[in-house]
Amino acid sequence: MKNQLADESLREDLISNEELRSQSEELINALVGNLTDENFEDLNSDKWGPVIEILGGISITRARQGFSPRETGNFVFSLKEALFQVLQEEISDPSVLFQESLKINRLMDNLSVVTFETFIKGREEVILRQTDEITEISTPVIRVWDGILALPIIGTLDSARTQIVMENLLQEIVETGSSIAILDISGVPAVDSLVAQHLIKTVSATRLMGAECIISGIRPEIAQTVVHLGIDLSNIITKASLASALAYAFKVMRLEVRKVGTIHKS
Amino acid sequence: MVLSLSKDSIMVLREQDVVLLRNRIKEVAVKIKMGLVNQTRLITAASELLRNMLRYADGGQCLIEVVSRGRENGIRLTFSDKGPGIPDIALAMRDGYSTGKSLGLGLPGTKRLVNEFDIKSKVGEGTTVTILKWANG
Amino acid sequence: MDKIPILRMGAFLLVTIQVDLYDRLALNLEADLVQMVNKTSAKGVLIDISAVSIVDSFMGRIIGNIASMSKILDAETVVVGMQPAVAITLIELGLPLKGVHTALDVEKGMNLLKSMIDDFDDDDQEVDDDGFIAE
């Protein structure tokens, strides 16, 4: 404890002394409880399970509380210092002291790596969650009219994203009972053959379900790429813009948009 | 490296067993959080292979394994029968599914639905088909 | 033994599939349906698969058979309520489902059937190749 409190990187704003003490106690208890001569070296043995768990828990809690990984690492290092001190007090023979110190050193270094690994894992989970959220919001489905859906896609389309777009589109068609879906890709810079195949699959699946899917906003570069790749889009309805796709959809649904005239009564 | 986490073997002798097996696979798929579309792909593929087993080999065995590779989880299904075997696998794997008298084995289509597909067959001894689908593959 | 119920809705027949079709059940359905189409002179058959989560090639074949048989008896077939996952899987599987029309739900399916029959009625007075007036 003394070492920790002396440490400059003590974050009194983030953790109370109480908590610090209880965290340290928990760790030391687990450490002492599991140390035997055999498993000292082998961090993979089951006996280390509880220690690693506690350490992992401390690391995650601290990460959430806002500690940097260095600070959490220092938590473990301070324990190392304390252990060294104890060793010095207990062992007088220099060569034995050195051996034991080496062992402790190796052990504590391994344990501190555990804290870093847990920290990184926590970060990765955040990234994954954010990726999911981005995927969800980047493909809105808009009911532009009764029975007509529009899906403007913005950004690069990769195979995985196209699959998600496809599933969303089909699901929305069922839920809204829309007979026409307009997939607008004017915000998509490029399309490779795998993505093109998924788009074709989307149109086919839509038709199989009894609705229709129009693709609008194909950039001239994409049109060129598609032809060069030998992809056959002749069975797909394509329109230059979302507006013309909408006009087409109205026509198919036998809807008409007219200007309301003023009637002069003479 | 693909690790097998659990194994479950089921005998399939009658049509009703197909339904049982489909439900079993669905249970496992839900447990490893496989998305609905992938579930459908896997169960449809299994259905195709099961029907082949029943039609041509009087039934067989299906092994359901939960597997993992790194952080990914998946399901591996192994269908083994002691039927007549397939004389020309290359031919069977060619597209050209006909709706006429020749019913075909539907293998190329089945292969498209899964991530990994392996088939071994010996005439007079039997056939073993192994398919693997990752939860998020 | 289960039998799949067939409902009559005016000039159309509605079949709602809610259980897994196995061989005998499917063959019975084909037979029953064909008999009913004949008996009621139905002009259309609606197959509701909104509760079906797996359509494999066997099921696809049954649907195709029903469509072909009904067509011979002068009835069109519309499959309604296909689930998205099923549609995607069918495309990837490569099942043709020839001669089968599709619609999102029963209501749209019936409208589709009506429009197909209306179109046909418009051609009523045409004379076909054999010199008979097409009915």
Side-chain angles (χ1 to χ4, degrees), chain C residues 19-37:
Chain C
V19 294
D20 279 304
L21 278 190
Y22 54 91
D23 260 353
R24 233 172 329 128
L25 195 59
L27 287 174
N28 286 339
L29 177 60
E30 280 180 16
D32 292 344
L33 205 50
V34 149
Q35 290 297 330
M36 274 279 255
V37 169

Side-chain angles (χ1 to χ4, degrees), chain C residues 108-123:
Chain C
K108 292 195 167 76
M110 293 221 285
N111 289 340
L112 180 59
L113 281 172
K114 283 189 195 136
S115 72
M116 285 194 280
I117 294 167
D118 281 343
D119 286 343
F120 196 68
D121 283 342
D122 285 341
D123 301 335

Side-chain angles (χ1 to χ4, degrees), chain B residues 15 19 22 36-37 40-41 43-44 47-48 51 55 97 99 103 109-110 112-113, chain C residues 20-24 53-58 61 85 88-89 92-96:
Chain B
E15 276 198 279
V19 175
R22 282 176 15 172
L36 183 59
V37 184
T40 308
R41 289 179 174 122
I43 300 175
T44 306
S47 208
E48 297 291 312
R51 287 199 201 273
R55 178 175 288 129
Y97 184 92
T99 48
L103 298 167
T110 306
R112 279 192 286 271
L113 294 177
Chain C
D20 279 304
L21 278 190
Y22 54 91
D23 260 353
R24 233 172 329 128
S53 45
I54 305 286
V55 174
D56 58 10
S57 61
F58 173 71
R61 234 189 328 271
I88 296 171
T89 305
E92 291 174 0
L93 197 53
L95 264 191

Side-chain angles (χ1 to χ4, degrees), chain C:
Chain C
M1 190 171 65
D2 304 305
K3 250 185 194 277
I4 299 184
I6 304 174
L7 291 174
R8 183 175 179 184
M9 295 171 86
F12 307 141
L13 295 177
L14 170 63
V15 182
T16 307
I17 302 183
Q18 288 182 315
V19 294
D20 279 304
L21 278 190
Y22 54 91
D23 260 353
R24 233 172 329 128
L25 195 59
L27 287 174
N28 286 339
L29 177 60
E30 280 180 16
D32 292 344
L33 205 50
V34 149
Q35 290 297 330
M36 274 279 255
V37 169
N38 186 40
K39 201 165 70 168
T40 63
S41 303
K43 288 288 172 217
V45 174
L46 288 145
I47 307 179
D48 183 350
I49 58 169
S50 49
V52 176
S53 45
I54 305 286
V55 174
D56 58 10
S57 61
F58 173 71
M59 173 79 156
R61 234 189 328 271
I62 301 296
I63 294 177
N65 287 350
I66 292 176
S68 305
M69 293 174 194
S70 308
K71 188 84 172 124
I72 292 173
L73 296 177
D74 199 23
E76 292 292 340
T77 306
V78 180
V79 170
V80 308
M82 188 182 293
Q83 294 180 11
V86 169
I88 296 171
T89 305
L90 283 178
I91 300 288
E92 291 174 0
L93 197 53
L95 264 191
L97 276 194
K98 279 211 265 288
V100 176
H101 306 282
T102 54
L104 286 174
D105 54 39
V106 174
E107 188 185 334
K108 292 195 167 76
M110 293 221 285
N111 289 340
L112 180 59
L113 281 172
K114 283 189 195 136
S115 72
M116 285 194 280
I117 294 167
D118 281 343
D119 286 343
F120 196 68
D121 283 342
D122 285 341
D123 301 335
D124 235 346
Q125 294 312 305
E126 262 174 54
V127 178
D128 72 8
D129 289 344
D130 293 333
F132 293 99
I133 295 179
E135 285 201 277

Side-chain angles (χ1 to χ4, degrees), chain A residues 235-256:
Chain A
N235 284 329
I236 306 211
I237 302 171
T238 56
K239 292 288 163 191
S241 67
L242 203 155
S244 43
L246 189 59
Y248 176 83
F250 280 150
K251 206 161 63 157
V252 166
M253 294 176 69
R254 317 259 281 272
L255 294 169
E256 204 181 38

Side-chain angles (χ1 to χ4, degrees), chain A residues 23 51-64 118:
Chain A
Q23 267 186 3
V51 179
I52 292 184
E53 220 180 290
I54 293 176
L55 207 49
I58 293 178
S59 177
I60 291 180
T61 329
R62 280 177 166 238
R64 277 201 211 121
T118 325

